[in-house]
Amino acid sequence: MNYDALLDSAIQRLHDEGRYRTFIDIERRKGQFPRAKWVRPDGSERDITVWCGNDYLGMGQHPVVLEAMHEALEATGAGSGGTRNISGTTVYHKRLEAELADLHRKEAALVFTSAYIANDATLSTLPKLFPGLIIYSDELNHASMIEGIRRNGGAKRIFRHNDVAHLRELMAADDPAAPKLIAFESVYSMDGDICPMEEICDLAQEFNALTYLDEVHAVGMYGPRGAGIAEKLGLMGRIDIINATLAKAYGVMGGYIASTAKMVDAIRSYAPGFIFTTSLPPAVAAGAAASVRYIKTAQHLRDKHQEHAHVLKTRLKALGLPIIDHGTHIVPVHVGDPVHCKKISDMLLEHYGIYVQPINFPTVPRGTERLRFTPSPVHTLDDIDHLVRAMDKLWSHCALNRAEMSA
C-alpha cells in the first residue's frame, strides 16, 4: 500500500477542481483592526485590510477586553490546569457563565472550548437524556450540528431549508408520543438569511418538541442587548437551548449553551465533549466575560455595523454585482465557479491589499462559490470605497455576470 500516493491523489483532486485551500499568514495589529500584515512566503510583508474576519465588532482589540485578560493573566498564569471537573473551573469561568445566562435570560449557561464543540457535544448527548429522541434538522445547519446529530445514533429527520411546511409534514408523520427536538440556526452564515423562528416555535409547541437554536452569527449584533435574533424577535422564552460563540462578535474564543439549570446540569454531567476537555484559560474566560458585559450596552457598535453592511451592499448592487442580500450583516457575492473565485481572491490580495477567502465546496454547494465579505464598525467608508472599486475592476477583468441575485 502506497500511502503517500493516495495522499498525493487526494490533494491533487482538490487542485484539479480549483478548490484547494491556501492559507495566508497574517499578523493582526492591535488598535489597527481591520488592518493587518501579510507575511509572504519569502518573508516580505505587506499591509492588508481583512474583509473576511469573524471578529464582527472589532472586540478583539477593545481595551475593556484586553484589560480584563491582562489582569487575569497576571493573577492566574496561562492555562486553566485541567478539565472543568478536575481543577479547571475557576471564578472566571463561573462569572462568564453568569454573564451568558443573564444575556439570554436563562437559568444557566455552560462554556465549551468552541461553539463547534458545544453543538457537537450537546446534540450528541441529548438522546442519552431523552431516549427515543427524534431530531429535526434544517438541511443547511452548520457542520458541527450535523456531526453531533449524526454521532448521537438516534433518529433524525432533515427538513428543507427554512421550509416550515416540510418540517410540519415530517413531524406529523412521527409517533406523537416520541420526544422531539427541532435544531436550526438564526442567521445562516453563507447566505445571511434568517430562519422563520416564530413559525418553528409554533410547530414545536404544537408537537410538544424542544427547540435548539444556533445563534453563532447573531449574538452581540442583534437584539437590544446583543442576545441575537431570538431577542430581537422577542422569542427567547420559547427557545429551550441556545448555542452561540465567543469567537465572533465577542472577539475572543469559546462557545456555550444557555438553557434551564436542569438541562445545563445534565449536559455538564453526561457530555464527553465537555467532561474530557481542558477548560478555557482563565484569561480567555475573563476577556469573554468583559466583552459580553460591554456589548450588552454597546448599541452604537451594532448600529455602525448595520450601517456599514448596508452601505457595502448598496454600493455593490449599484454596480450590478450578484450579491445575496437577506438584510443581515453578511455580504456574499456570487461567483459560481471555484477557479474564478480563487482568482479574484488572489488578485484582490496581490493588487489591492484586500484579503477575502474564497468560499467553495463543500462549505457551499458546487456552482454557488462566492466571496463572503464581513463589514464591521472598524472598517471605514474609505475601506468600503476601495473594496467596491477593486471589485468593479476585477469583475470586468474576469468578464463575470453582473445580473443581481435574488434574495
Side-chain angles (χ1 to χ4, degrees), residues 285-300:
S291 187
V292 172
R293 190 179 312 116
Y294 178 84
I295 289 180
K296 286 176 182 177
T297 59
Q299 188 59 41
H300 64 286

Side-chain angles (χ1 to χ4, degrees), residues 191-211:
D191 281 355
D193 56 327
I194 297 174
C195 71
M197 192 178 300
E198 185 170 10
E199 291 91 333
I200 291 175
C201 289
D202 288 344
L203 274 185
Q205 182 175 346
E206 179 182 349
F207 288 94
N208 192 27
L210 296 170
T211 48

Side-chain angles (χ1 to χ4, degrees), residues 315-337:
R315 293 284 306 276
L316 292 174
K317 281 183 182 179
L319 295 173
L321 267 64
I323 79 165
I324 304 168
D325 184 7
H326 290 281
T328 61
H329 61 284
I330 293 170
V331 186
V333 180
H334 182 268
V335 179
D337 176 85

Side-chain angles (χ1 to χ4, degrees), residues 77 91 197 256 296 406:
V91 294
M197 192 178 300
Y256 63 91
K296 286 176 182 177
S406 60

Side-chain angles (χ1 to χ4, degrees), residues 109-124:
L110 190 66
V111 171
F112 295 76
T113 50
S114 74
Y116 188 109
I117 298 299
N119 268 334
D120 186 6
T122 303
L123 287 167
S124 63

Side-chain angles (χ1 to χ4, degrees), residues 18-23 335 337-348 356-360 369-371:
R19 59 187 186 91
Y20 179 77
R21 301 183 185 214
T22 302
F23 302 149
V335 179
D337 176 85
V339 175
H340 280 139
C341 203
K342 179 68 164 60
K343 182 177 181 181
I344 293 176
S345 171
D346 289 345
M347 289 190 294
L348 282 170
V356 57
Q357 278 287 91
I359 306 294
N360 293 329
E369 292 82 4
R370 67 200 60 183
L371 299 173

Side-chain angles (χ1 to χ4, degrees), residues 128-150:
K128 300 176 186 176
L129 308 175
F130 307 107
L133 179 69
I134 303 171
I135 296 182
Y136 303 83
S137 176
D138 188 290
E139 66 177 341
L140 294 188
N141 277 342
H142 189 264
S144 58
M145 301 173 76
I146 294 170
E147 181 64 14
I149 294 168
R150 184 191 66 79

